[in-house]
Amino acid sequence: MTNFNGSLIATVRCPICLDTFHWPTGDSLYEYRDGEFAELVISPAADAIKRADIMQTAYLRCPNPSEDANEHYLPAAYASYGNPLVIGLVGSTKSGKSHLLAAIIAEIQRDGLRPYGLTCRPVDFALHEAFLRERADPLVVRGEMLGATEEAITTYADALLVTSAAGTWPVAFFDVAGGDLAKTGKTARFVAGAGALIFVVDPDSALRTDADGERGLGDPTFDAVLGRLGGGKRHLELPAAMVVNKADRFRFVPPADVWLRRRGNGRVDAEAMLAESRDAYAFLYKNNANAWLRPFHECRRCTLHFVSATGGDPVDDAFPRGVRSQRVLEPVIALLAMTGILPGRESTKVGSW
Amino acid sequence: MSEDIKAPAGYAELRFRDPAGQSQTWTVRQQGDLAILGEGILSQQVSWNGTHAVKRWIPAEQAARRRGMCDRLENEARAGMRAAERFRDRYPVELTRLVGYDLDAAEPFLLVSPPRGTPVAELDWMSLDERHAFQASLFRALLLLAEAGIVHGNVTATTVRWDGKAVQLGDFGYAAAVGDDRQPRPDYVEGAPEQRRGSGRVTAVDDVWAAGAVLLRVATGQTGPPDLSGRGAALRSLLDGVFAASADDRPSAATLLRRLGVDAAVPPADLAARRAFADGERSFDRALKDKAPRPSPPTVRPPDKPARRFHIGATGLIGLLVFAASIVLIVLIATGKLG
């Protein structure tokens, strides 16, 4: 593929405006300083080692050939490895997507993927530090509830370089406000360029636990995203993972109680993922949440997981005993397996049982 | 949900969820002495409108610092919820009942039914008839737990109580579901070897070894590693296989009840809920099959063409002539007509 010297040409799809363009662009480099992007000048005397070091935190301005987006920048590292993977979190406003993503990034920051042979480092150092400071640390370190996701955000929340035995890929996570996801405008444009999706089921909306409970109509964000990608196809080839979020509410009830207590052991286990997927599906089905199962029916490869970003309910907008995330990396591992980033024979079986 | 400090002295307001998932608010009267259970969990009897219960809780400061303590309450709540779901309004006397819980509060707590009888460790003597009833009741308790898919995980002479008619199993702080990974318990003296090691996954017979150890203590006073040698034939026959090295070779609670000649019937389960879940599993399997890539449909065969007449082109004719000439040459050479 390419490397930092930019001597090779690649075609890149910008995850923000969805335009494709040649990489490197031949344009100037930029650095992020004091809240702004400023042109970066690399001295001609800088040798390859120095240049590579500078490029780790440099940015390129997306040329946005369609000229339909505000000025935006991508890390120079974004297209310098394997094809970037865009993972989008899909779910309604109160589904807990933001808490889930904060918990995921925190677990990755704690080296949670290393037992699987994966190492991670930021693609965009400034953005990653901001995410840790503003989202991950308040939740998992200080036990604070996060505020609602800002609307009209069009860029990714965080991006990491994930290295496995098969290579290195940038992985960008999008967490767009539920209200924006339900629309078809620019704010959810990333969907069209997504390489994988995590559908977040909000049990407060989905589950009707009494026998006479009427079934809900499903999550409108699921419908909007699947509709945007569908294009008349019977099944989508995009890998997907569904999560029954806030599963701590069911931590005393089978089958969630069993799965929440399972710890990852550093091995991809396709049979275990099949068993959990079947249990989570049947759990939603039994509780009259059939309409929320649409992603499983329409995405050819789709896993289901019980996850808890916090381990319990908040008390007065805080978690008095701190946060204890449970199984938040399972959907990410499933997606990395299905996209080939996490290689191995077992990975090829995930979602394709 | 938390205690309301506005309640009168000796009273406390408790907000919690009951096993049916309903929110409850009780102003309870605190009775009896505060007890400190294992791992620093506090316990006190409370009452509300004539209902008696035991509140178990962890002080906020400890709860924030020691996750292991909270796990004890979590395990107890989980076992209680599973038992409540399985037995509903036919809840067995052999198991303490979960009344409610709030384990997300700064000071997590749960409420359980009050203890009944005396811990076996404090009993002096049992008649033969009483011992038979005790054995049957203890094995029945294990059978009921197996029906709920859980194991007690800490069957000891302290956690098993006897009131002369029925056993009561309480203190489910180490309870687990069948299929869970075992956690190491090196201090669990009555436990089976795999429980002390924490190896493998929990099975429905996990409690059988420890129950056998308790029975052995009641019958003979023996404590420590179980040893049936020199014991009476009846006891050896009853506990045959209970202390087998492999859990796979140990008898189930139902088998042990049959050895005692006691009915191993259990309250009927709620089949509607199980059917609904099974329907979900079938729907999943159908959906998987529906999504499986289908083999490419066979291409339409072209219509049969009429049989072709034999046709030899120019190249074929030349080849035939060369072949014929070669045969003639060989014959001539062979017959000496060519030198």
Side-chain angles (χ1 to χ4, degrees):
Chain A
M1 195 60 188
T2 61
N3 57 25
F4 268 127
N5 67 21
S7 58
L8 301 175
I9 302 292
T11 300
V12 174
R13 182 181 296 284
C14 173
I16 299 169
C17 66
L18 285 194
D19 278 343
T20 56
F21 52 90
H22 290 312
W23 187 283
T25 63
D27 194 1
S28 306
L29 291 173
Y30 295 83
E31 60 178 342
Y32 191 68
R33 199 185 337 135
D34 299 326
E36 288 182 345
F37 288 98
E39 197 162 331
L40 174 67
V41 177
I42 302 180
S43 164
D47 63 7
I49 291 175
K50 183 169 179 176
R51 185 178 172 81
D53 185 61
I54 292 170
M55 291 294 281
Q56 294 223 27
T57 53
Y59 293 83
L60 289 169
R61 185 166 56 193
C62 171
N64 183 218
S66 299
E67 297 181 346
D68 61 352
N70 295 333
E71 194 171 84
H72 54 280
Y73 299 78
L74 293 175
Y78 187 76
S80 298
Y81 296 92
N83 277 330
L85 172 66
V86 170
I87 297 180
L89 276 74
V90 182
S92 59
T93 302
K94 293 200 185 299
S95 63
K97 296 193 305 299
S98 300
H99 286 76
L100 177 60
L101 182 59
I104 286 172
I105 298 299
E107 282 299 305
I108 293 176
Q109 183 72 10
R110 288 181 182 136
D111 234 8
L113 293 178
R114 186 178 291 276
Y116 296 87
L118 301 170
T119 56
C120 302
R121 63 181 177 86
V123 173
D124 188 330
F125 280 85
L127 190 71
H128 182 64
E129 281 170 23
F131 188 90
L132 291 178
R133 185 176 59 246
E134 293 164 16
R135 309 297 276 177
D137 284 354
L139 178 67
V140 302
V141 175
R142 298 198 294 274
E144 297 167 5
M145 272 196 75
L146 302 177
T149 307
E150 209 177 310
E151 295 202 339
I153 296 290
T154 56
T155 188
Y156 48 88
D158 199 359
L160 302 168
L161 278 176
V162 178
T163 299
S164 72
T168 297
W169 290 263
V171 177
F173 292 90
F174 272 80
D175 174 22
V176 167
D180 289 335
L181 273 174
K183 301 171 195 162
T184 53
K186 288 182 192 176
T187 45
R189 185 174 280 175
F190 78 90
V191 167
L197 295 169
I198 298 178
F199 291 91
V200 183
V201 176
D202 179 10
D204 291 336
S205 305
L207 269 59
R208 301 283 191 271
T209 52
D210 53 282
D212 296 328
E214 285 184 15
R215 297 180 184 183
L217 299 179
D219 189 322
T221 64
F222 291 9
D223 296 339
V225 166
L226 291 170
R228 197 164 181 158
L229 294 171
K233 295 190 276 275
R234 189 153 174 257
H235 294 120
L236 297 171
E237 298 302 326
L238 190 81
M242 291 184 65
V243 299
V244 179
N245 202 17
K246 308 176 190 175
D248 50 273
R249 305 230 177 115
F250 315 104
R251 65 189 191 268
F252 305 127
V253 177
D257 66 336
V258 171
W259 290 107
L260 286 176
R261 282 162 175 77
R262 290 264 175 103
R263 298 285 172 260
N265 60 5
R267 289 188 299 111
V268 175
D269 187 338
E271 280 304 305
M273 285 194 181
L274 171 62
E276 184 178 9
S277 296
R278 184 184 281 117
D279 277 353
Y281 182 106
F283 175 79
L284 292 172
Y285 187 100
K286 174 193 164 189
N287 289 296
N288 299 307
N290 306 53
W292 277 259
L293 290 166
R294 192 177 157 192
F296 181 76
H297 288 274
E298 298 195 15
C299 297
R300 193 181 297 282
R301 289 175 299 159
C302 182
T303 56
L304 290 97
H305 310 266
F306 291 102
V307 305
S308 172
T310 59
D313 274 343
V315 177
D316 300 327
D317 288 343
F319 299 91
R321 287 183 284 118
V323 154
R324 188 188 195 184
S325 303
Q326 293 168 283
R327 295 181 70 78
V328 294
L329 288 185
E330 291 297 311
V332 175
I333 290 161
L335 292 179
L336 295 179
M338 286 190 275
T339 53
I341 290 179
L342 182 52
R345 191 188 302 181
E346 201 63 14
S347 292
T348 61
K349 299 179 197 168
V350 174
S352 305
W353 308 290
Chain B
M1 295 183 192
S2 60
E3 280 195 36
D4 187 344
I5 59 172
K6 294 177 192 162
Y11 287 80
E13 186 173 276
L14 300 180
R15 294 192 201 112
F16 57 90
R17 207 172 287 280
D18 67 20
Q22 302 301 313
S23 295
Q24 302 284 349
T25 303
W26 287 7
T27 301
V28 300
R29 185 174 161 221
Q30 293 155 319
Q31 294 174 302
D33 297 328
L34 202 66
I36 302 177
L37 304 179
E39 300 193 50
I41 296 173
L42 303 181
S43 172
Q44 189 174 37
Q45 302 228 11
V46 297
S47 66
W48 174 79
N49 273 6
T51 299
H52 295 272
V54 171
K55 180 189 171 194
R56 294 203 181 118
W57 77 99
I58 301 171
E61 193 186 281
Q62 304 245 26
R65 286 190 293 116
R66 293 177 57 190
R67 186 70 71 179
M69 288 171 76
C70 299
D71 286 346
R72 299 287 84 79
L73 293 187
E74 294 265 335
N75 292 340
E76 181 127 30
R78 181 192 185 196
M81 288 289 286
R82 277 196 172 226
E85 171 65 21
R86 172 60 182 83
F87 301 115
R88 296 188 178 227
D89 52 5
R90 295 192 189 198
Y91 203 88
V93 297
E94 289 87 352
L95 309 175
T96 51
R97 185 197 281 255
L98 178 70
V99 175
Y101 61 94
D102 179 5
L103 299 182
D104 293 328
E107 193 167 273
F109 73 93
L110 50 79
L111 295 168
V112 296
S113 56
R116 180 174 46 77
T118 307
V120 164
E122 296 173 22
L123 292 174
D124 289 324
W125 181 80
M126 264 189 219
S127 69
L128 213 55
D129 285 343
E130 196 177 351
R131 206 183 302 165
H132 185 273
F134 171 78
Q135 292 164 347
S137 188
L138 180 56
F139 292 145
R140 178 169 160 76
L142 299 197
L143 178 68
L144 293 164
L145 288 178
E147 279 291 305
I150 49 177
V151 298
H152 186 276
N154 195 37
V155 173
T156 68
T158 306
T159 60
V160 176
R161 304 175 75 98
W162 174 246
D163 68 357
K165 290 184 183 158
V167 142
Q168 189 198 48
L169 260 188
D171 298 326
F172 282 85
Y174 289 96
V178 173
D180 281 355
D181 291 327
R182 289 197 186 99
Q183 302 302 313
R185 301 270 315 284
D187 298 334
Y188 183 22
V189 173
E190 293 87 343
E194 65 276 2
Q195 287 180 304
R196 292 198 298 276
R197 278 194 310 266
S199 59
R201 294 242 165 110
V202 172
T203 70
V205 297
D206 262 32
D207 288 330
V208 163
W209 177 300
V214 170
L215 292 195
L216 202 52
R217 175 178 173 150
V218 167
T220 68
Q222 181 190 117
T223 57
D227 182 7
L228 290 175
S229 54
R231 301 302 170 194
L235 191 61
R236 279 188 286 112
S237 173
L238 175 63
L239 297 181
D240 180 37
V242 164
F243 306 116
S246 167
D248 293 339
D249 298 329
R250 293 180 207 144
S252 67
T255 299
L256 290 162
L257 280 169
R258 280 193 288 273
R259 288 181 187 174
L260 287 169
V262 171
D263 182 18
V266 293
D270 174 14
L271 295 179
R274 288 190 184 180
R275 264 196 296 268
F277 192 85
D279 285 345
E281 291 177 312
R282 279 191 289 273
S283 178
F284 175 89
D285 292 336
R286 277 195 303 270
L288 262 194
K289 203 172 166 186
D290 182 54
K291 290 195 293 184
R294 301 189 197 290
S296 304
T299 51
V300 176
R301 280 183 57 195
D304 288 337
K305 293 184 181 176
R308 299 177 67 176
R309 291 172 190 268
F310 179 77
H311 175 76
I312 186 169
T315 308
L317 187 60
I318 292 169
L320 198 59
L321 288 172
V322 167
F323 176 73
S326 302
I327 297 295
V328 169
L329 195 61
I330 290 168
V331 168
L332 290 174
I333 292 171
T335 55
K337 294 204 174 141
L338 274 184

